[in-house]
Amino acid sequence: MTQISIVIPARNEEGNLPVLCKELSEVLSTLQYEYEILIVDDGSTDSSWKTIQTLHQQQVGIFGIKLSRNFGHQNALMAGLHFASGDAVITMDADMQHPPSVLPSLISRWEQGYKAVNTLRIATEKEGFGKRVTSKFFYRVFSWLSGSPLKSGMADFRLLDRSIVEVLTSFQEPHIFFRGLIPWVGFSSTDVEYKSPPRLSGSAQYSFRMMVRFALAGLTSFSIFPLRISILIGIITAGLAFIELFYVLFTAIIAETSVPGWASTLGLMSFLFGILFILLGVIGEYIGRIFETVKGRPQFIIQDALNTPGLKQAKKSQTDGD
Ligand code: UDP
Ligand code: MG
């Protein structure tokens, strides 16, 4: 029988996981699919892992893997994709902001033949004004720079067919940005809209610093436009310098007066140095990423796993290879 995998990255979600698993199994038992729920504990500091172990013992079909430390939401998702064994994999958050009631519509779109079913959040009550504005701004800038359209309201709540999962798990890049990768991979995709309730319990795990990091990872892995800015700024400043030089020569030769002041020289110099440092920073950002990619470290490390079917397969294929 065809199998559906649900991949849930979780960091400090002890209060949400039991509720989520209960609702998920209620929804999934109404469908004619076998299913597995795979929770990825991304270095939780609360008792999430204990909760996952208990859920695993109580209910058939719930599995867990524990990463050796906090690797971040995207890497935890990647770990989940590696060990999910279903023909379709649904990724969703642990905090109930991605309601299990949407699952049947995701699955029915997949049955219609779509290989990726994305979701669009239509109303977010209680989401801070700051977060709303910054995320809208980011999506705009990203779409514009990368040429790969991102819709605002898109989250890592989606269904992926096995064919896409196979492609994604072959990616080695250390800074994964699924929202950009999925349109990049291609295949037929569609959207399903849903209303997102506020987080059930606990606090949002994304700090401002993490969001900046996330945005930078997204931009630099999908666009080299920031690098090209240097050419543009070079042309503009060279043009301005040329005009200034022309003016200085003109006043000296024709009007026979010299342009007074060292302040303007100093101003111009510090302005140019400022630009230079910014551009060095941009280049440094990309070189840093090249360095990290060249090191080729794993995207995540598994510390513990609860008898996960996908893990068994992975182990088996390793021994087959020997
Ligand atoms: N998460 C994770 N690792 C992290 C941060 C978050 O696995 O380092 C998980 C978290 O437990 C949740 C999902 O990613 O299931 C989304 O996180 P959160 O709700 O904090 O983000 P937001 O909804 O604010 O975008
Ligand atoms: Mg959330």
Side-chain angles (χ1 to χ4, degrees), residues 9 11 13 42 70 73 93-95 97 131 199 204-206:
R11 175 158 195 255
E13 304 279 10
D42 184 20
N70 178 241
H73 181 198
D93 286 0
D95 58 4
Q97 285 190 303
K131 182 157 184 182
R199 169 179 262 281
Q205 296 296 319
Y206 266 103

Side-chain angles (χ1 to χ4, degrees), residues 141-142 144-147 219-233 279 282 286:
V141 174
F142 183 92
W144 181 65
L145 287 183
S146 69
L219 282 181
T220 51
S221 63
F222 277 91
S223 166
I224 57 161
F225 181 77
L227 282 174
R228 290 202 181 126
I229 291 175
S230 56
I231 299 176
L232 194 72
I233 294 180
L279 295 179
V282 172
Y286 279 90

Side-chain angles (χ1 to χ4, degrees), residues 74-289:
Q74 301 291 298
N75 295 54
L77 271 176
M78 189 56 127
L81 290 187
H82 272 273
F83 296 107
S85 54
D87 299 306
V89 181
I90 295 171
T91 58
M92 64 195 292
D93 286 0
D95 58 4
M96 301 296 288
Q97 285 190 303
H98 298 162
S101 54
V102 184
L103 264 51
S105 51
L106 293 183
I107 294 170
S108 76
R109 292 296 180 92
W110 173 62
E111 286 165 344
Q112 287 165 15
Y114 291 104
K115 298 294 181 203
V117 187
N118 297 304
T119 60
L120 289 177
R121 175 181 64 208
I122 42 179
T124 41
E125 301 114 62
K126 274 199 178 168
E127 196 173 51
F129 174 76
K131 182 157 184 182
R132 250 189 0 249
V133 171
T134 47
S135 84
K136 234 199 184 119
F137 174 74
F138 172 71
Y139 281 121
R140 283 269 166 82
V141 174
F142 183 92
S143 306
W144 181 65
L145 287 183
S146 69
S148 134
L150 270 199
K151 295 178 194 151
S152 86
M154 230 183 205
D156 288 305
F157 180 26
R158 60 172 77 80
L159 180 148
L160 298 171
D161 183 72
R162 168 93 349 232
S163 49
I164 297 191
V165 174
E166 292 299 323
V167 175
L168 289 174
T169 48
S170 73
F171 283 26
Q172 299 291 319
E173 51 196 282
H175 299 279
I176 314 152
F177 184 65
F178 281 108
R179 267 162 247 195
L181 280 181
I182 283 149
W184 185 90
V185 165
F187 293 94
S188 55
S189 71
T190 182
D191 302 324
V192 165
E193 291 187 340
Y194 74 102
K195 280 208 180 80
S196 166
R199 169 179 262 281
L200 182 68
S201 89
S203 55
Q205 296 296 319
Y206 266 103
S207 60
F208 180 71
R209 219 179 98 213
M210 281 159 92
M211 271 185 344
V212 171
R213 226 192 267 167
F214 183 57
L216 264 181
L219 282 181
T220 51
S221 63
F222 277 91
S223 166
I224 57 161
F225 181 77
L227 282 174
R228 290 202 181 126
I229 291 175
S230 56
I231 299 176
L232 194 72
I233 294 180
I235 291 171
I236 294 172
T237 47
L240 287 176
F242 181 76
I243 295 169
E244 203 224 334
L245 205 67
F246 185 77
Y247 171 69
V248 171
L249 285 177
F250 177 81
T251 44
I253 296 165
I254 312 286
E256 290 184 347
T257 54
S258 62
V259 181
W262 46 269
S264 55
T265 325
L266 207 65
L268 194 69
M269 240 170 71
S270 36
F271 173 67
L272 289 179
F273 267 118
I275 290 177
L276 201 65
F277 283 130
I278 292 171
L279 295 179
L280 276 180
V282 172
I283 294 169
E285 190 66 36
Y286 279 90
I287 293 183
R289 272 157 217 280

Side-chain angles (χ1 to χ4, degrees), residues 27-42:
V27 170
L28 290 164
S29 59
T30 61
L31 306 166
Q32 310 103 317
Y33 287 105
E34 260 182 52
Y35 64 90
E36 63 170 4
I37 297 173
L38 180 56
I39 306 165
V40 184
D41 180 355
D42 184 20

